Amino acid sequence: MGRRVIWTVFRKEMLDLFRDRKALLGTFLVPLVIIPFVFFLLGMSYSNVEKEARAYIPIAVNGSSGLVASLQTIPGVSILQPSNQEQALQEGQLRAIITISPAFEERVKVGGTGEVVVAFDSTNQKSVYARTVIEKTVEAYSKEIVVQRLKQAGMSEQAIKPIASTYQNVATEERLSGGMLAGIIPLMLVVSLASGGIAAANDLVAGEKERGTLESLMTAPIAANHILTAKLMAVMVMSCMSALASLVSLSLVLRLGPLEMESGFSLSFFSPVTLLVLVLTILVLAATFAALELVLSTIAKSFKEGQTYMSGVIFLAMVPSYMMMPLNPVDIPGYYYVLPVFNGVALCKEVFYGRVEPLHALVGLGSSLVYVAIITVMSSRLFRKEGAVVKN
Amino acid sequence: MIEVKQVSKRFGTISAIEDVSFRVEAGEVYGLLGENGAGKTTTMRMMATILQPTEGDIEISGFSVQKEPVEVRRRIGILFGGDVGLYNRLSARENIAYFGSLYGLEQRRLQERIDSLSQMLEMESFIDRRVGAFSRGMKQKVAIARTLVHDPDVILLDEPTTGLDVTAANIFRRMVGKLQEEGKTILFSSHNMGEINKLCKRIALIHKGRLQFAGGLDTLRERFGISDLDDIFMAVVEGSEA
């Protein structure tokens, strides 16, 4: 009887939600439209700035040296002499001003140090790029002088380079790819899980209360817990669908979009175990958010009031995601695995780094289940409270 | 049968119902009369087990609303006043079928009930359309069909004709007559004396949460020596405030 009632209510809720434009927008708008749009704009903007910064590097040079000739060989470099160089730099017409000291060549010739001052604007990305180009050119020119001086002294370059060091990166291509995804995906995933169920949760309790349907429903000979279970399942489905749409959307954006990943996009860090942990993490996070959203929706006296309460859920999702964004899984503090939502984000990061610690998975998923149970019991008590389903 | 036994309902310090008792016999159409805010809906909500009496008890077909709420809910069909409480994104048929399923009706029986109610309430032309675009009268018909889909013994109707046009109100009255012929017990709340007069022989009159009268309309007329029910109603209200 209980299962039949839960299935009947769940089926109706899904039918109702799929016909509700507000709920569908809430579930799919962020992952399918906003995420690709933001990444596209971000990528376009970075790529355009970088292209422009490389294509044309207007600089001013005061003084003379062989360094100037070296600079002129760099593609895109154009030497200008505007009347007011500082103003031109501030206004972006110049990317850098190089001032070579008057006695530069003489000092270098006698084995001394020639001085070069480079003025640039750190708030302008194109100017920062010009600084990098100049720095590399100065280094190369400096190296040429050193080699000449060593030759004159009868020494080889090895004399000042006694150690040859090579740095080998042990991170595999998969891990490099996963590491980058581990920064972005947990944030997107958790925010989608939280936001995807909001419209549904608000409509299924606060909305029904406002429309008077919940009161009619509660006069049927069925247990309040069965109604709540069906509603929890419906909200979870909407949350998971939103998260899935986010993952697909983000994968497509990273594979096809204008953002270039250092190591190329790959999902090869997934193994059956990490995939299973990811699925379980998504499910417990969806259940946590769904139960919490139903509590808030039950407390709310109207749909509008429910919407106000729900903004707190997004905040709850964003804080741990942002806090852990720069962290490598090995740097995540142990107690994060028992904190609500933090544990889900931490497990997501481990999954995307391709190595899940069994103890972390056990503690993270176990503690999440405890939180889900606590919030569900709370929600159930509220739901059964006299007058909780009555509008006035 | 409905038996209201010395029921009081308080919300904090506010008393909504105070020591109300009346009895509706099986197969009877009984009127619950009172102004807006008199306590009619609170009484109905207690009968439907949505609210619990603070004192006293209500029995529906011999089952206590406090001790056996699920048994009570199995036996009643309630139509709430004001908002008709339908799912706007579902069709009329889907709304009725949803509630029928929750009452455990088998698919075949459910379809028979929907067809029969659709015919009785003249809903055939819009039964498969979504409720959101319906007029108030159409919505009210769907809500009535939803209330009756599981063929309850006891029917609670809270201000059922509010907002209905003359035709829809007539269809509704015919339906109440038919349900009475089928032996259903009907409690009908209204603030409209004319309507109560057309449908009921006995009434309970509530004013500011207190029972002013419970009994036959003839007894009420005799007691006040006035035949017009609106005048009697006013006399009761003014008498209780004097």
Side-chain angles (χ1 to χ4, degrees):
Chain A
M1 176 70 180
R3 271 193 212 159
R4 193 186 55 76
V5 168
I6 292 170
W7 174 241
T8 303
V9 178
F10 173 74
R11 213 174 41 177
K12 176 257 149 196
E13 303 299 16
M14 293 314 297
L15 178 68
D16 204 7
L17 287 171
F18 273 100
R19 288 178 183 174
D20 180 11
R21 276 191 211 146
K22 265 188 294 179
L24 290 179
L25 274 178
T27 305
F28 296 112
L29 182 74
V30 171
L32 292 180
V33 180
I34 294 177
I35 290 178
F37 187 67
V38 167
F39 272 81
F40 182 76
L41 283 185
L42 210 68
M44 282 288 286
S45 145
Y46 272 120
S47 127
N48 284 343
V49 167
E50 206 178 328
K51 246 186 233 167
E52 282 171 29
R54 278 183 194 170
Y56 179 57
I57 312 170
I59 56 173
V61 179
N62 301 311
S64 64
S65 151
L67 178 65
V68 180
S70 294
L71 280 167
Q72 279 172 324
T73 61
I74 294 167
V77 169
S78 175
I79 297 175
L80 309 176
Q81 290 299 335
S83 54
N84 189 338
Q85 293 182 355
E86 271 188 32
Q87 194 185 342
L89 180 62
Q90 296 279 0
E91 289 172 357
Q93 289 151 1
L94 276 182
R95 305 275 165 79
I97 304 164
I98 303 173
T99 308
I100 300 167
S101 67
F104 183 90
E105 288 296 334
E106 287 75 18
R107 282 190 185 173
V108 168
K109 261 181 201 163
V110 295
T113 303
E115 278 181 22
V116 175
V117 176
V118 180
F120 75 105
D121 179 359
S122 67
T123 60
N124 180 344
Q125 281 304 308
K126 291 174 185 172
S127 180
V128 171
Y129 181 74
R131 176 197 184 275
T132 312
V133 167
I134 294 165
E135 201 172 5
K136 278 183 185 164
T137 312
V138 169
E139 263 173 33
Y141 188 68
S142 182
K143 200 175 170 186
E144 270 175 38
I145 295 167
V146 168
V147 170
Q148 274 175 14
R149 284 179 181 177
L150 288 170
K151 226 180 208 176
Q152 283 165 4
M155 295 165 81
S156 69
E157 202 183 339
Q158 280 75 18
I160 56 159
K161 203 179 174 188
I163 300 169
S165 51
T166 308
Y167 294 90
Q168 288 179 332
N169 190 352
V170 294
T172 57
E173 287 293 301
E174 292 80 17
R175 206 159 162 196
L176 276 172
S177 173
M180 173 150 178
L181 295 178
I184 315 163
I185 291 192
L187 170 73
M188 294 297 174
L189 194 68
V190 174
V191 170
S192 298
L193 282 168
S195 66
I198 283 180
N202 205 17
D203 186 72
L204 295 190
V205 183
E208 280 214 36
K209 207 188 293 186
E210 196 168 278
R211 295 189 293 272
T213 46
L214 200 55
E215 196 171 355
S216 301
L217 190 60
M218 297 302 277
T219 62
I222 52 178
N225 280 353
H226 293 154
I227 300 173
L228 194 68
T229 306
K231 287 182 185 289
L232 185 81
M233 281 164 56
V235 178
M236 271 180 75
V237 167
M238 297 307 272
S239 285
C240 288
M241 277 168 54
S242 177
L244 196 68
S246 275
L247 284 178
V248 171
S249 164
L250 206 57
S251 303
L252 288 174
V253 167
L254 293 173
R255 188 182 282 267
L256 310 168
L259 268 187
E260 283 173 19
M261 288 178 68
E262 275 173 39
S263 53
F265 178 77
S266 160
L267 291 174
S268 49
F269 50 86
F270 274 138
S271 68
V273 173
T274 56
L275 202 60
L276 176 71
V277 172
L278 181 67
V279 170
L280 292 175
T281 306
I282 288 175
L283 285 176
V284 290
L285 277 175
T288 309
F289 287 124
L292 189 62
E293 284 160 4
L294 285 178
V295 167
L296 296 174
S297 190
T298 309
I299 294 168
K301 288 183 180 70
S302 66
F303 190 84
K304 213 170 172 183
E305 197 177 312
Q307 279 178 320
T308 311
Y309 294 160
M310 297 291 176
S311 51
V313 180
I314 299 282
F315 185 72
L316 182 73
M318 286 176 99
V319 169
S321 307
Y322 275 117
M323 278 175 71
M324 277 190 270
M325 205 179 218
L327 294 184
N328 187 295
V330 293
D331 298 321
I332 295 174
Y335 67 90
Y336 275 22
Y337 290 89
V338 290
L339 291 180
V341 189
F342 279 81
N343 47 17
V345 178
L347 285 177
C348 277
K349 285 195 87 88
E350 288 198 7
V351 165
F352 286 98
Y353 272 90
R355 210 168 67 187
V356 177
E357 283 291 324
L359 182 67
H360 288 166
L362 215 65
V363 172
L365 293 171
S367 58
S368 285
L369 284 175
V370 172
Y371 292 124
V372 172
I374 292 170
I375 307 170
T376 309
V377 168
M378 239 169 85
S379 181
S380 168
R381 282 196 182 163
L382 268 171
F383 204 69
R384 281 178 295 172
K385 200 175 151 196
E386 189 193 54
V389 299
V390 179
K391 186 179 168 188
N392 300 311
Chain B
M1 185 268 289
I2 304 168
E3 189 159 16
V4 180
K5 298 190 276 191
Q6 294 174 304
V7 166
S8 297
K9 178 67 190 173
R10 290 178 208 106
F11 298 100
T13 55
I14 299 163
S15 175
I17 294 289
E18 201 59 51
D19 196 25
V20 169
S21 300
F22 61 89
R23 183 185 165 98
V24 184
E25 299 299 336
E28 183 180 14
V29 180
Y30 195 92
L32 184 59
L33 191 69
E35 289 179 310
N36 290 334
K40 304 188 294 292
T41 300
T42 302
T43 308
M44 291 275 198
R45 279 177 173 159
M46 285 190 284
M47 288 174 184
T49 74
I50 294 284
L51 297 176
Q52 289 276 304
T54 312
E55 280 167 24
D57 198 4
I58 300 173
E59 278 185 12
I60 308 271
S61 300
F63 293 99
S64 157
V65 294
Q66 301 198 77
K67 293 175 196 142
E68 296 143 304
V70 177
E71 290 305 320
V72 169
R73 281 186 234 146
R74 260 189 243 286
R75 283 158 180 84
I76 60 164
I78 180 160
L79 175 73
F80 289 108
D83 296 329
V84 281
L86 296 171
Y87 297 99
N88 285 339
R89 292 183 291 266
L90 302 190
S91 70
R93 187 188 295 278
E94 286 165 342
N95 264 286
I96 303 164
Y98 176 50
F99 278 87
S101 301
L102 293 178
Y103 280 92
L105 264 65
E106 292 304 324
Q107 201 55 34
R108 203 171 140 192
R109 170 87 179 121
L110 182 59
Q111 287 314 316
E112 281 172 9
R113 284 295 294 163
I114 293 173
D115 291 343
S116 143
L117 288 164
S118 168
Q119 200 180 1
M120 183 165 85
L121 291 159
E122 299 176 16
M123 304 193 317
E124 291 103 325
S125 60
F126 57 85
I127 187 89
D128 288 310
R129 277 166 45 199
R130 287 194 198 173
V131 165
F134 285 5
S135 68
R136 174 73 199 232
M138 288 156 87
K139 281 186 178 177
Q140 192 73 331
K141 285 182 180 180
V142 181
I144 292 166
R146 182 201 62 194
T147 306
L148 302 176
V149 66
H150 57 292
D151 200 14
D153 293 333
V154 177
I155 300 161
L156 309 171
L157 304 168
D158 187 15
E159 306 263 6
T161 53
T162 306
L164 292 190
D165 58 31
V166 180
T167 319
N170 268 324
I171 293 172
F172 172 77
R173 277 193 287 271
R174 280 209 305 273
M175 185 205 69
V176 171
K178 195 166 179 292
L179 290 170
Q180 194 181 16
E181 282 169 19
E182 288 173 13
K184 306 290 182 194
T185 307
I186 301 169
L187 179 66
F188 176 93
S189 90
S190 179
H191 58 265
N192 184 332
M193 270 301 208
E195 196 147 72
I196 291 278
N197 193 29
K198 279 181 192 162
L199 290 167
C200 318
K201 287 199 170 67
R202 294 200 315 137
I203 64 158
L205 203 159
I206 302 178
H207 183 61
K208 290 188 176 169
R210 288 178 181 277
L211 186 74
Q212 304 298 325
F213 174 83
L217 284 173
D218 293 339
T219 315
L220 186 67
R221 286 192 180 96
E222 273 171 33
R223 184 184 291 180
F224 285 87
I226 315 169
S227 60
D228 188 87
L229 286 175
D230 281 330
D231 292 342
I232 295 173
F233 182 68
M234 286 314 296
V236 170
V237 168
E238 282 160 11
S240 76
E241 283 171 358

